[in-house]
Structure formats: C-alpha cells, structure tokens
Amino acid sequence: AQSVTQLDSQVPVFEEAPVELRCNYSSSVSVYLFWYVQYPNQGLQLLLKYLSGSTLVKGINGFEAEFNKSQTSFHLRKPSVHISDTAEYFCAVSDRGTGTASKLTFGTGTRLQVTL
Amino acid sequence: DTGVSQDPRHKITKRGQNVTFRCDPISEHNRLYWYRQTLGQGPEFLTYFQNEAQLEKSRLLSDRFSAERPKGSFSTLEIQRTEQGDSAMYLCASSPGQPGNEQFFGPGTRLTVL
C-alpha cells in the first residue's frame, strides 16, 4: 500500500517570493513520483516527474523538485512565483512494477495562493 | 486539441437515479483510468483498463458502479441508484503503455446528487 502526505493544505506567498510545497510518501515498493497542478475549472496537468537518475527534476513553468530517498520526500520548489501560479498542487506516486496498473495515489493537495 | 474529453461536464440528479458518464481518451493510449475527487481531497483511484480489459477495481467501487471500455476506445462509468455520497468530481485519465508514463487527465464530470 502507498500513501502520500502533503502537510500544508494552504501556502500563501507574495509574488516573486520563493516557495516550497512539501510532499512525503510511504510505500512498501519502489515508486515513481509526480507533481500535478490543477487550475480552477481545469483538469490536472503534469508539472514534473521522477522516474530515475538525477534526484533534481525540472518541470514546466520554472518548477523543480528533489527526490530524497532517505527522507521519502519529493518537495516542489520555485525560486520566484507569479500570480498565475495560484492553483492546487498534488503530489502523487505510482508503483514501479511492470504489469501493474500504475495507478496514481495522490496527496490531499496544497493550495498555493500568490498575492501582490 | 486531441486531449482527453469527458461528457457531461456537469450532472445534477436526484437520489436513486442512474447516471452514466463518458470518457474519450487520447486515441493512441491503451491505458484508461477513472478517479473520483471530493472537495478538499486528492483524486482517488476507482478503476483501470488496459485496452478493453478492466484489470483493477478499487474497493471504493461498490456494486452500484460499473465501468466499460468496449473495443478499447471510449469508456463509460455508470452509477446506479445514486446516493448523496456519490457527489464528487469524476476524472478520467489515459496514458500510453509503460509504467511511469504521464497520465493525461480530462476536465472531469461534476456530479451533484440531490
């Protein structure tokens, strides 16, 4: 079984400030890691994913995340946010095994609110 | 745009009625997923198809729920005898075959059961 914990339900931040959204996971098997963003009235969109290799992953819109296996974390960061980054952010994991459904297990989400 | 589409976008129904939702995945994607998202929560997995075969169902999927994917193309999710607790956003996603591939999500169908 897998679980994902996003400790911060809401993160308020001023425009051009840096931000970190935290994600921790628990799994008995190796996993892939994802961050999705959900803008109001839109579907989920992939920001970035970690499959293997370098633990620092760069995604769209200037976001990046770092996989830390010992801390089972995959925190999302952006050095300077914009008003347009206001959205709900979801961390997710899926089983690495071949022949599996690769279904996503999501956290409860973090609402990023960017203000002037 | 040839992304994942879902129909209808909104559905209001009375308790006890049956409802059916449709999902059209990206055409070359053989994997199709249904998720349910309630307010303040992340999406929860409901069921998964590889081509036309339904290979996994969540325990969340009671016997009132049924899903099909005839011919491995579009999929339908039917809820019989709806209950107020079924009110949620129902999301469909598709992906190409390999684990770790991105799942592309549709805009969802918001169900309200009165």
Side-chain angles (χ1 to χ4, degrees), chain B residues 84-101:
Chain B
Q84 288 186 325
D86 297 331
S87 295
M89 178 75 85
Y90 290 84
L91 300 170
C92 177
S94 70
S95 78
Q98 298 306 312
N101 282 341

Side-chain angles (χ1 to χ4, degrees), chain B:
Chain B
D1 189 308
T2 55
V4 178
S5 62
Q6 293 186 246
D7 184 69
R9 293 291 304 275
H10 303 273
K11 179 70 176 178
I12 299 174
T13 191
K14 293 182 179 179
R15 190 174 51 188
Q17 297 295 305
N18 299 343
V19 294
T20 300
F21 310 140
R22 177 181 171 122
C23 170
D24 286 273
I26 294 171
S27 59
E28 62 268 25
H29 288 180
N30 60 350
R31 292 182 172 220
L32 187 146
Y33 303 83
W34 285 97
Y35 294 86
R36 180 171 66 189
Q37 186 178 19
T38 53
L39 201 61
Q41 300 297 317
E44 294 175 298
F45 170 77
L46 292 178
T47 190
Y48 156 66
F49 290 85
Q50 183 159 331
N51 300 312
E52 67 276 10
Q54 187 175 19
L55 297 183
E56 188 168 338
K57 293 193 292 185
S58 165
R59 282 173 290 179
L60 292 175
L61 213 64
S62 78
D63 56 6
R64 296 185 298 106
F65 288 69
S66 63
E68 294 181 340
R69 192 183 181 195
K71 302 179 183 178
S73 55
F74 71 92
S75 176
T76 58
L77 178 68
E78 181 183 15
I79 309 174
Q80 295 183 326
R81 305 181 303 281
T82 52
E83 302 173 354
Q84 288 186 325
D86 297 331
S87 295
M89 178 75 85
Y90 290 84
L91 300 170
C92 177
S94 70
S95 78
Q98 298 306 312
N101 282 341
E102 175 182 355
Q103 291 184 25
F104 293 80
F105 282 81
T109 294
R110 182 168 294 284
L111 173 66
T112 301
V113 182
L114 303 176

